[in-house]
Amino acid sequence: MNKNSSNMMALAPNTSNKRETVCIFGTGDFGRALGYKMLQAGYPVVYGSRSRQTSSLIPKDAEVLSHTEAAQKAAIIIIAIQRQHYNFLTPLAEVLHGKVLVDISNNLKLNQYPESNAEYLAQLVPGAKVVKAFNTVSAWALQSGTLDASRQVFVCGDDMEAKQMVMDIVRAVGLTPLDQGSLLAAQEIENYPLQLFPMWKFPILLSLGLVTFFFFYCLTRDVIYTYIYEKKNFSFFIAISIPNRICPILALTLLSLVYLPGVLAAIIQLYRGTKYRRFPDWLDKWMLCRKQLGLVALAFAFLHAVYTLIIPIRSFVRWRISSQTISQALNNKTEPLDITNAWISDSYLALGILGFFLFVLLGITSLPSVSNSVNWREFRFVQSKLGYLTLILCTAHTLVYGGKWFLSPSSYRWYLPSAYMLSLIVPCIVLVVKFVLIFPCLDKPLTRIRQGWERNPQYSE
Amino acid sequence: MNKNSSNMMALAPNTSNKRETVCIFGTGDFGRALGYKMLQAGYPVVYGSRSRQTSSLIPKDAEVLSHTEAAQKAAIIIIAIQRQHYNFLTPLAEVLHGKVLVDISNNLKLNQYPESNAEYLAQLVPGAKVVKAFNTVSAWALQSGTLDASRQVFVCGDDMEAKQMVMDIVRAVGLTPLDQGSLLAAQEIENYPLQLFPMWKFPILLSLGLVTFFFFYCLTRDVIYTYIYEKKNFSFFIAISIPNRICPILALTLLSLVYLPGVLAAIIQLYRGTKYRRFPDWLDKWMLCRKQLGLVALAFAFLHAVYTLIIPIRSFVRWRISSQTISQALNNKTEPLDITNAWISDSYLALGILGFFLFVLLGITSLPSVSNSVNWREFRFVQSKLGYLTLILCTAHTLVYGGKWFLSPSSYRWYLPSAYMLSLIVPCIVLVVKFVLIFPCLDKPLTRIRQGWERNPQYSE
Amino acid sequence: MNKNSSNMMALAPNTSNKRETVCIFGTGDFGRALGYKMLQAGYPVVYGSRSRQTSSLIPKDAEVLSHTEAAQKAAIIIIAIQRQHYNFLTPLAEVLHGKVLVDISNNLKLNQYPESNAEYLAQLVPGAKVVKAFNTVSAWALQSGTLDASRQVFVCGDDMEAKQMVMDIVRAVGLTPLDQGSLLAAQEIENYPLQLFPMWKFPILLSLGLVTFFFFYCLTRDVIYTYIYEKKNFSFFIAISIPNRICPILALTLLSLVYLPGVLAAIIQLYRGTKYRRFPDWLDKWMLCRKQLGLVALAFAFLHAVYTLIIPIRSFVRWRISSQTISQALNNKTEPLDITNAWISDSYLALGILGFFLFVLLGITSLPSVSNSVNWREFRFVQSKLGYLTLILCTAHTLVYGGKWFLSPSSYRWYLPSAYMLSLIVPCIVLVVKFVLIFPCLDKPLTRIRQGWERNPQYSE
């Protein structure tokens, strides 16, 4: 390694503790914000600009030079310019040779260009060492110092030493660098800040659809029907009673939808006799958003729990209980304790509590820091064993809730069954199929298939 | 460093962005799954196999060659073969010289062999650079792409550059490499995926034992005794009432067991007059699972909270309150408000709420990502100061719950005291001893001992 | 690089798996604890000490030599000595030349010295490679093995290879090294273990002050006033009723204080017409502790939720409901259902539940591991959009809670309005100003200012 060339100096351990000069091409908002931060961290900063007249917005301690002069002063050059102007760098190829170029650009759309901006930059200036960094941080966040959000800066590049230099700067300005490997990772890094919860879209749209359906279903049965046939105005059911019907239905349905794709995948593999053929696309996508489905289900379960606990405080409930007590008192009769009723009431509450408890446990283990601290075997144990136990408990909770009136014709209104009965369809299907699948006659071939065995090896040739 | 040898080429920065060929020895399930993933990530893959006839299962884009030919094509060779077959590599020592060998094997039992598989491999092929990696990922997870679980891949090895190459591959296939240091860490890495919550075993077994004991204790007192002497069938207490007795008892007992070993350790150190002698083995083990004990206690406290909040919805409770009201109404009398009673009821609820709140706070700070972001002083403050405050509040909650009837003989049934009184034994001992230990006459020598002072320095010579 | 010098041997990949000797200067408590751990991890340890007579406390397997002899035996020397004694190293400069010196020292106060201890050490021994490490770990934690707390060891230094060697030792003793960059980071690393929740001080002091004020406010209105004018002893309100008034007030006030500084900043920027002038210091500090303010608010919201859910179990509440029912029964009248009342009661409960749910969601996303896994856009969406929605729901909850009696003169006691009305002041101001700010005539210039535009560019010249 030739350590005599000027630009390699920066790579040598810096014993004098003086920071190396950093050059920034471009005096836009982000270039200025980064310049300020780097000056604060003790780096001499030099700007490369078309016009050499210093703007009042550029940090005072920074020098402004032409691109060529500025580039010569530093071993590391931050390209704070939009991609469409990168071609102005081509004539500078000679002076940029061997320099570290930091691409900080972002696009406006996902996969806007065929290759990432950083790779495009590397093609334009083949002699330079391109490193992708800083694109996940906003100028506003850098400047206001209110980095409550992620301090993570993804860094990638093909040259290890160049990457190390950039990661040192990232640390110096108070951020956390994360090495993402070679420059091939740039595309993903550039797409990252454009996303808005992509994995959550399907679960949230699905639950919005289901919420709307069940809202009108319950409105019809509980408010409109009662108003027409019993002449009672229960419109205030919209605030608590109906949400507290919708939430458990959605929690149970979404939870069972977490386990349905696994069951479907097992059936497909058993039918095909191999694991080496891809699942249909919809199944793949479904499997990838199971965690999000489960967490949305947990949110509904949490709401259901709070809505239920609040019941005795409701003015309507207090009035109803009080009227019942008064009417009993006025009729001079005391009802004896109905043991069956007490059993049903306590059982469905207990099942609900235990199911909710396990559900919360599943939610906690899906926190990134917790799931990172368990191994694959432990994760499978929690998500599969405990997950199915949760589904069983919650399904049982709903079944026992129905109690004596389950499937009784008197509970039908306008031929509509109670809403909770609709929520039992998917979980019961999942549980029955899963129960069938654990029979040895099906479980054994499935296990073998998953270990790589094929029923018809000639098939795939 | 001789950078001219062919296999060192891969170590040089790769400016053409073309991935280096990777060789995989072994065409088993994991070898194939990894091959697929690496092809997807843009790596040319070549398999080394005994039989050169390509199986239909091997990815189409991969070449299959003899071991020697395959090894010559790549700088990095993944050994997807079981440990017992490693000795076939000995004749290949020459061609493997200077190559990076990636050991991905797992064992069936903890510490199955005296040395780790990776170290064994390094002994067999002394000229190669052995890196341990990928053993924490399952083939199924790699293939299905459903990496909900930990994406962490532990990597260790004695050669920094070899390790970097492997870590780049790990990142390229979408996983997160974690550098674990030198090859000595391989044993631990190989043991890791075999564990199933090893630290949780003792707390969970202990609480299962206690749950069983207290279940039968409460069953005897609350159901069987009532049935025999009062001819009342309270069998449905099994669903909620008895669990809601067991949960607080376990929460309090387990919480006090978190602080008992610390108190015992202080006594032992005071008695011995030195901190330089090891604690008994059981105390060491106990201290290491305190976090898990505390979290199990929190789970019981959470269940207790929900069981308690659900009380007014229970059909039995509604019936009881209604009967009392009716009987008062029929007897034409209204009870005045009992201020003492109101004080006791509100105090024990308030103490319980505050204790539970602090308990949840302790639980949140024990999340890995939270405890990593506090320093030692802050962690001690939370776990020690807030922890003892939680214990005091929860003990006071139980004491006040007893209220006027505490230690009253009328609460004994078959000479058995109320179950909650049993739960007070351990916490009271811990609190009393801790209170004694903070007296200066004991605290001062203890602090000096913990700073390294010895009462009888000659003792340990 | 001259790899023939003896001390560089340690930098070469260690193929024999034998650990390199480590030297420790100083036989104090931390030096011994670290020595034990390193011996356990397989490192030969040699102590450098003034007196060569071995103390009984020094691990038996370790050698004790003079400083010079000990330093010659190892490439890496841990300086387990206090800063004020560092000058004894000056005469050893020659033997320490090229060695890795690990500074593990801590100070007693924040920024006790102008330069960090590690930088001071680097100045004293210019030929050595100084690495800062291990200062965040306590001797007690190392020795007892009870590393429940953070296992993170911050490492910084100017020499990459020296840092790697130290990080390998850190990993070998079971801790997690975190590269913090160059030696300039040492000051911050040395300050780190001295902190005790610095960001939490203001939010906690503020809420303590508010709690005290509202406690006496509610005590006056609810207990003293009632006692004097209605001759009723409601002293037990201190346990639950008054805390349950204070908690929601603090939750709402603190939550609105999270969003107030953002609104103030917008007004300041609009007024100044630029974002390039610093905010007043108090506003900067306020903005930096918004996360902590929000979490304290969440704690109060959680307490409010539990206090509210516990209401029906309170002995006083049961007595009150029962008396009302009995008096109605005795008067032989049944009240009809008041639909307006039912609507108000259900609405404020529903608003509270939804607000609390979103509040918990905000809390979860502020967990380090969760906020690290979302990008800037997602974080803004959650903290800004969802945050304001939470504030709106909680404010509406409080407004509807007031219901028909809101602003009614009959609710005044001693000219004091109900406490909840005081809690509405700040949130209403924040919401009204925010509402004004989203009008295009203000939002457009604000957006342009935040993108770097200036109304009076000459102003800042």
Side-chain angles (χ1 to χ4, degrees), chain A residues 158 276 346 375 377-378, chain B residues 17 29 32 192 194 197 314:
Chain A
D158 289 330
Y276 292 105
D346 279 15
N375 64 34
R377 198 178 156 206
E378 293 165 343
Chain B
N17 265 353
D29 198 34
R32 293 196 301 260
Y192 182 74
L194 296 168
F197 297 113
R314 290 175 64 195

Side-chain angles (χ1 to χ4, degrees), chain B residues 119 158-160 179-184 269 275-276 287-288 290 308-309 311-312 317 320-321 325 328-329 332-337 339 341-343 345-347 349-350 353-354 356-357 360 364 367 369-382 450-452 454 457 460-461, chain C residues 13-15 17 19 29 32 36 41 54 56-57 136 138-141 143-152 164 168 171 192-198 233-241 299 302-303 306-307 309-310 312-316 318-319 322-323 325-326 329-330 367-369:
Chain B
E119 286 167 304
D158 289 329
D159 188 282
M160 272 302 287
D179 188 346
Q180 295 297 99
S182 77
L183 209 58
L184 283 169
Q269 287 182 333
K275 72 164 184 181
Y276 291 105
M287 289 181 106
L288 285 171
R290 284 185 294 181
T308 303
L309 294 173
I311 286 176
V317 173
R320 204 183 52 196
I321 291 174
T325 312
Q328 280 184 44
N332 215 342
K333 69 167 183 192
T334 37
E335 271 180 18
L337 174 62
I339 300 285
N341 222 17
W343 258 110
S345 151
D346 279 14
S347 309
L349 288 173
I353 290 169
L354 292 175
F356 180 62
F357 169 72
V360 170
I364 291 171
L367 284 173
S369 66
V370 177
S371 67
N372 272 340
S373 65
V374 300
N375 65 33
W376 179 248
R377 197 178 157 209
E378 293 165 343
F379 185 80
R380 290 266 307 178
F381 176 80
V382 170
R450 286 187 176 166
Q451 285 166 351
E454 290 199 304
S460 52
E461 261 178 306
Chain C
N14 182 356
T15 46
N17 265 353
R19 307 269 203 191
D29 199 33
R32 293 196 300 261
Y36 267 115
T54 51
S56 64
L57 300 174
T136 51
S138 83
W140 165 247
Q143 225 154 22
S144 63
T146 54
L147 288 157
D148 311 313
S150 174
R151 291 161 178 270
Q152 294 183 337
Q164 276 301 335
D168 278 344
R171 281 190 205 100
Y192 182 74
L194 296 169
Q195 296 169 348
L196 187 64
F197 298 113
N233 178 4
F234 282 166
S235 57
F236 59 89
F237 273 21
I238 292 170
I240 291 190
S241 302
F302 175 80
L303 281 174
V306 184
Y307 274 123
L309 294 175
I310 218 79
I313 309 176
R314 290 175 64 195
S315 149
F316 165 68
R318 286 191 171 164
W319 168 84
S322 157
S323 331
T325 311
I326 292 168
L330 293 181
L367 284 173
S369 67

Side-chain angles (χ1 to χ4, degrees), chain C residues 122-141:
Chain C
Q123 286 164 24
L124 280 178
V125 195
K129 300 159 187 166
V130 174
V131 174
K132 180 87 207 175
F134 285 114
N135 72 313
T136 51
V137 188
S138 83
W140 165 247

Side-chain angles (χ1 to χ4, degrees), chain A residues 51 105-106 133 136 149 215-216 234 300 306 366 433 449 451:
Chain A
S51 64
S105 63
N106 269 324
T136 52
F215 177 76
F216 287 109
F234 281 166
F300 281 107
V306 184
S366 74
V433 177
I449 286 168
Q451 283 166 351

Side-chain angles (χ1 to χ4, degrees), chain C residues 36-84:
Chain C
Y36 267 115
K37 270 281 162 191
M38 277 164 38
L39 283 165
Q40 275 174 27
Y43 286 93
V45 172
V46 54
Y47 281 93
S49 173
R50 273 161 301 176
S51 66
R52 288 197 47 176
Q53 61 186 75
T54 51
S55 152
S56 64
L57 300 174
I58 290 176
K60 279 177 202 152
D61 303 328
E63 225 176 328
V64 181
L65 301 170
S66 74
H67 287 121
T68 314
E69 289 169 318
Q72 278 165 342
K73 287 222 171 183
I76 192 158
I77 298 156
I78 293 166
I79 312 292
I81 285 168
Q82 284 174 307
R83 180 195 167 113
Q84 50 265 41

Side-chain angles (χ1 to χ4, degrees), chain A residues 238-244 247 299-314, chain C residues 298 301-302 304-306 308-309 344-361 389-390 392-398 400:
Chain A
I238 291 170
I240 292 190
S241 301
I242 290 181
N244 200 18
C247 287
F300 281 107
F302 175 81
L303 280 174
H304 169 51
V306 184
Y307 273 124
T308 303
L309 294 174
I310 219 80
I311 286 176
I313 309 175
R314 291 176 63 195
Chain C
L298 177 56
F302 175 80
H304 169 50
V306 184
T308 304
L309 294 175
I344 291 176
S345 151
D346 279 13
S347 308
Y348 100 79
L349 288 173
L351 286 167
I353 291 169
L354 292 175
F356 180 62
F357 169 72
L358 286 182
F359 216 151
V360 170
L361 215 65
L389 187 56
T390 311
I392 291 168
L393 285 172
C394 291
T395 311
H397 166 68
T398 315
V400 177

